[in-house]
Amino acid sequence: MGQISHFHPTALPLNPSCPSPTFPWQTVEFPWNSEGLMPIFRPPASLSGDTGVIHVVEKEEDLEWALSKGPHPPYMILLNGSLFSREILMQLKGTSRISGLAVAAASPAPSQGFSPGLKCPNDGFGLYSEQHGPEYAHCNGSIWNPWGSGVSYEDFPFPIFLLQDANETEVIKECFRAHNVPAAAGAAPRFPLCAMQLQSHMHAAASTVTCMRRSSLQSTFSINPEIVCDPLLDYNVWSSLKPINASGKVEPEQRLILAATRVDSHSFFWNVAPGAEAAVGSFVSLLAAAQALQAAPGALQLPRNVLFVFFQGETFDYIGSSRLVFDMEQEKFPLRLENIGAFLELGQVSLRNDSVLWMHTDPISRQNQSVQNLLDVLLSSSSGSNVSLQEPENSQPLPPSSFQRFLRSRNIPGVVLSDHRTAFHNRYFQSIYDTAENIRMSYPEGLTPEERLEFVTDTAKALAEVSTLLARALFSLAGGTGSTESIKADPKTVTRLLYGFLLNSNNSWFQSLIKPDQKGILGPFPQHYVALFSLAPSQLFEYWWVQGPLQGNSSSRAPGCVRSGVRLSPALSPAFELRRWDSREFSTWTESRWKDIRARIFLVASRELELLTLSLGVLVLLLSLLCTFLINAKASLLFGLPAPPGSSGY
């Protein structure tokens, strides 16, 4: 079966720069029912679902029928994906004649671009504010996401579903053509009409403050509490070149190099967040750089350690990075902020023009000589490579990045590498179209899934060059001397990672790297939406018994034990640790709970026929009551029952 994804008001923030919530979506199967957890701002869907007569909109002129002319409101719109825009959604939002929206995903992606995010992502939660760099606050002079429509932050009074299977979309269109198309132009269609019901009622309401207060009261006073929403929670993933004891503390005089990127993405639809350019390209590059650095001669003898951090929840106002900074300040992490000697972050790096990467720095802290030294090391590391490094104007602020949360607390020399000088090259930032095709991943026709896994794409080669540059720079920053030409990232590793994180997680290579009891978690559709789950942290090392690779052409594997230095740290906003649910400093996103996500199509009769049916039903009920009364009154005569015995005395 294909899939349908559901949109609904979601994760509920309360902050001045983002007054409205975003809207994720639930994935269900045709004919559509599901259970689980899901986000909301205010549940527009009724308990029994929202119902309307189906109207197909394939061009903008088709909207007029549903918005004004159609005689049978409310209407359930089936919208061509190429028309899914802020202008159309605002028209639908501004009328009571619309009860819901089903969107057929556009294929190919809209050439004009589509981004439901903000033009200034994470505005108000980064470095620049009225207190620090007010001239750069609110993306003043630097619109990073010009395609941003902001519809993810609007509150719509009706449910919205995404149809990802063309066959399922055609089923709805056939029902529409058979029953809802007028016989003559301008005439009303004849009954029965094809209708659709979307059910997606959310338990939470109002805002994070309200839903968290209600959940807290339930947890305090109820034996069986009914929680209505949950904070967005996941885990940052970190590791180091040389082992660090997770339960210990790094000495204050030690200086480390921190290399970071984000691993999460988002779209208008819940759990449909491919994030190819927004996240996958960068964290795959960092993984390949870590592998190349670890294999470098003398890497374990370098004077300074290197910490690799993969942040979760950065899409939602820097959840992961703000929590790590908070833990460092509270000494709940092995490192303190003063242990960070330099900070290197990979932003969006998959859509380079002419092999150029841009080195972004904060213009306020740039006067620090350490920043210039960091830039010099990067430039030196790029010589002889296929990557050209350039600097934007000195007056340009940092793009949206995790590094901003660290600079809020301490002046740390750092650089953010990205493929864009000013505005994002990514026309599909935080959308369902930020897929493998967006970063130009392509394969020859006729390849099997296993052959596609091993085929080294041009995108993989380009990102491997970024990884090589980063690994060489980290080697030099950690105190390495001599030539770094032998440090090279493996394009085969990059292409496997891209295939697994963008096209199919359930592949032979990923299967060989996980525990046997966890092989079921690998699905065919990789997603990078921040989750709601908990895992146990590790200490100095963790030992994993993995399935191992397949042996020859057989189905048996060669299992083995793997020692891993990968650790987890919580990516839960400090606002929930501090119970400051109305915080303006930290992210306050939550996700509503829900029970059922369902959709169905059916035929509806005319109002006159419905009233006639109701009237006949009432008449039959009254006649039944009258007959029952008469039969009961004459029961002795009709059925020859003996008279009741007289009273007896004792």
Side-chain angles (χ1 to χ4, degrees), residues 145-205:
N145 183 28
W147 292 276
S149 63
V151 293
S152 282
Y153 296 78
E154 292 286 344
D155 181 14
F156 293 95
F158 46 76
I160 304 178
F161 282 59
L162 173 69
L163 306 180
Q164 296 179 279
D165 190 301
N167 294 327
E168 293 165 355
T169 303
E170 191 58 32
V171 169
I172 301 175
K173 288 183 177 180
E174 288 178 1
C175 186
F176 167 79
R177 289 191 289 262
H179 299 279
N180 296 9
V181 177
R190 295 180 179 179
F191 285 95
L193 299 176
C194 187
M196 179 186 290
Q197 182 185 63
L198 304 179
Q199 183 168 336
S200 56
H201 182 72
M202 299 290 134
H203 292 181

Side-chain angles (χ1 to χ4, degrees), residues 249-252 328 331 333-340:
K249 289 288 184 293
V250 173
E251 295 298 325
M328 287 181 174
E331 298 192 359
F333 192 77
L335 274 70
R336 303 170 183 84
L337 287 172
E338 54 265 31
N339 291 124
I340 303 175

Side-chain angles (χ1 to χ4, degrees), residues 381-556:
S381 301
S382 68
S383 62
S385 71
N386 293 324
V387 180
S388 173
L389 291 179
Q390 296 186 25
E391 297 180 57
E393 293 78 7
N394 291 345
S395 60
Q396 181 174 297
L398 283 169
S401 53
S402 306
F403 181 43
Q404 292 198 29
R405 291 299 305 194
F406 285 79
L407 283 178
R408 280 177 65 136
S409 297
R410 185 178 177 85
N411 190 0
I412 300 171
V415 173
V416 177
L417 296 176
S418 76
D419 55 23
H420 55 89
R421 181 176 67 87
T422 53
F424 296 161
H425 290 167
N426 187 4
R427 295 176 297 159
Y428 307 109
F429 182 69
Q430 294 183 358
S431 87
I432 60 174
Y433 303 115
D434 189 10
T435 60
E437 289 77 13
N438 184 37
I439 60 172
R440 300 188 279 268
M441 279 179 61
S442 60
Y443 298 88
E445 294 184 4
L447 295 185
T448 66
E450 194 65 25
E451 290 171 338
R452 286 159 65 93
L453 171 67
E454 300 295 334
F455 181 81
V456 180
T457 63
D458 290 340
T459 302
K461 294 175 183 177
L463 289 178
E465 293 170 355
V466 175
S467 302
T468 297
L469 164 67
L470 184 61
R472 291 175 178 178
L474 292 173
F475 182 85
S476 299
L477 289 169
T481 58
S483 175
T484 58
E485 291 184 3
S486 62
I487 303 176
K488 292 184 179 180
D490 182 13
K492 179 74 73 175
T493 298
V494 175
T495 205
R496 287 173 169 178
L497 289 169
L498 289 174
Y499 180 83
F501 284 117
L502 287 175
L503 298 177
N504 185 6
S505 310
N506 193 16
N507 60 70
S508 60
W509 193 57
F510 274 30
Q511 287 281 4
S512 70
L513 301 174
I514 64 172
K515 298 178 181 179
D517 59 345
Q518 293 181 343
K519 60 183 179 181
I521 68 174
L522 298 178
F525 305 108
Q527 301 298 339
H528 307 289
Y529 177 72
V530 61
L532 295 166
F533 71 96
S534 175
L535 292 173
S538 57
Q539 298 299 317
L540 186 61
F541 290 110
E542 185 172 342
Y543 294 86
W544 290 53
W545 184 261
V546 299
Q547 295 191 105
L550 291 170
Q551 294 182 316
N553 296 325
S554 69
S555 58
S556 62

Side-chain angles (χ1 to χ4, degrees), residues 591-610:
E591 186 171 276
S592 174
R593 291 195 179 188
W594 76 96
K595 288 185 178 178
D596 295 314
I597 303 296
R598 292 199 300 264
R600 61 187 181 123
I601 57 175
F602 51 91
L603 297 180
V604 294
S606 66
R607 182 59 56 88
E608 292 77 12
L609 182 56
E610 289 178 342

